[in-house]
Amino acid sequence: METLIDIRKVSKTYITGSFKVEALKEVSLNIKAGEMISLVGPSGSGKSTLMHILGFLDRPDAGEYYFAGHPTTSLGEGRLAAIRSRMVGFIFQSFHLLKRTTAKDNVLLPMVYSGLGADSQKALECLRLVGLSDRVKHRSNELSGGQCQRVAIARALVNDPLILLADEPTGNLDAKSRQEVMKVIKDLNNRGLTVVIVTHDEEVSAQ
């Protein structure tokens, strides 16, 4: 398998008032295309910081980051935004859906933001992939937590990303919904999608 992500001795420090927080110190990581891995550790260990760097939401202070074989550390904000919107799919613990908007319209948002236009058929296909063909017209405030997270996964897929980054994707879910969401994520990985899950849940990381 080809290397999709290669980070070398990446460091990140935050200054909060008079405090200096070393979130990452010379972290190196290699992820092959098609892999599914978990980043595990207690709160404050730098997991989300690393994910934000992997997803081009933040920049490292030092080190190198190669994405699909290309160096990214010196790229401008516009180029990073284009990579982020078209090649990376994000899933967050809190879903971040528009509450009075249908499942389909929530899924379409990344297409609209990236300038690709709205492809309703693509949105419907992504909802089918996550088992929500019967909830297309439901607003997010009419869905369960597990269904909301599956809509969020469909939204993350709509631009055909190379990698899916999931930050505590089961953190707000009950046991049944957690199993449903993990099954969807594993099925996507079985189809060849690279997946990185940030978690402190040992049951999730074991999968």
Side-chain angles (χ1 to χ4, degrees), residues 19-182:
F19 294 98
K20 181 178 178 181
V21 179
E22 200 169 44
L24 298 173
K25 183 177 181 180
E26 295 193 348
V27 173
S28 296
L29 177 66
N30 187 280
I31 301 173
K32 303 289 187 185
E35 277 194 303
M36 177 170 166
I37 71 164
S38 58
L39 301 177
V40 186
S43 296
S45 60
K47 303 185 304 298
S48 292
T49 298
L50 179 56
M51 194 200 79
H52 288 168
I53 288 173
L54 294 179
F56 307 102
L57 294 169
D58 203 351
R59 289 178 179 268
D61 296 327
E64 298 176 277
Y65 179 9
Y66 292 84
F67 184 82
H70 300 284
T72 66
T73 310
S74 61
L75 293 179
E77 291 298 331
R79 181 65 180 140
L80 290 179
I83 294 172
R84 183 170 62 242
S85 67
R86 300 190 182 187
M87 297 186 186
V88 183
F90 294 94
I91 309 170
F92 299 100
Q93 182 175 349
S94 299
F95 319 140
H96 296 310
L97 300 180
L98 298 181
K99 291 184 179 180
R100 295 179 181 83
T101 304
T102 65
K104 186 186 81 170
D105 287 342
N106 267 293
V107 172
L108 283 170
L109 285 175
M111 285 188 139
V112 175
Y113 292 149
S114 63
L116 296 176
D119 184 341
S120 292
Q121 285 304 119
K122 185 65 182 297
L124 295 176
E125 172 62 16
C126 290
L127 285 166
R128 185 193 66 77
L129 277 176
V130 300
L132 288 177
S133 294
D134 59 341
R135 295 290 188 272
V136 171
K137 296 182 179 180
H138 284 64
R139 293 177 172 82
S140 55
N141 58 353
E142 300 170 335
L143 300 173
S144 69
Q147 289 169 338
C148 283
Q149 192 59 294
R150 284 189 278 158
V151 172
I153 294 172
R155 181 186 58 193
L157 297 175
V158 77
N159 282 346
D160 294 319
L162 295 180
I163 188 167
L164 191 64
L165 299 179
D167 193 357
E168 302 283 5
T170 61
N172 284 340
L173 304 179
D174 58 45
K176 182 175 182 293
S177 297
R178 188 159 57 238
Q179 290 177 351
E180 291 174 352
V181 167
M182 284 306 300

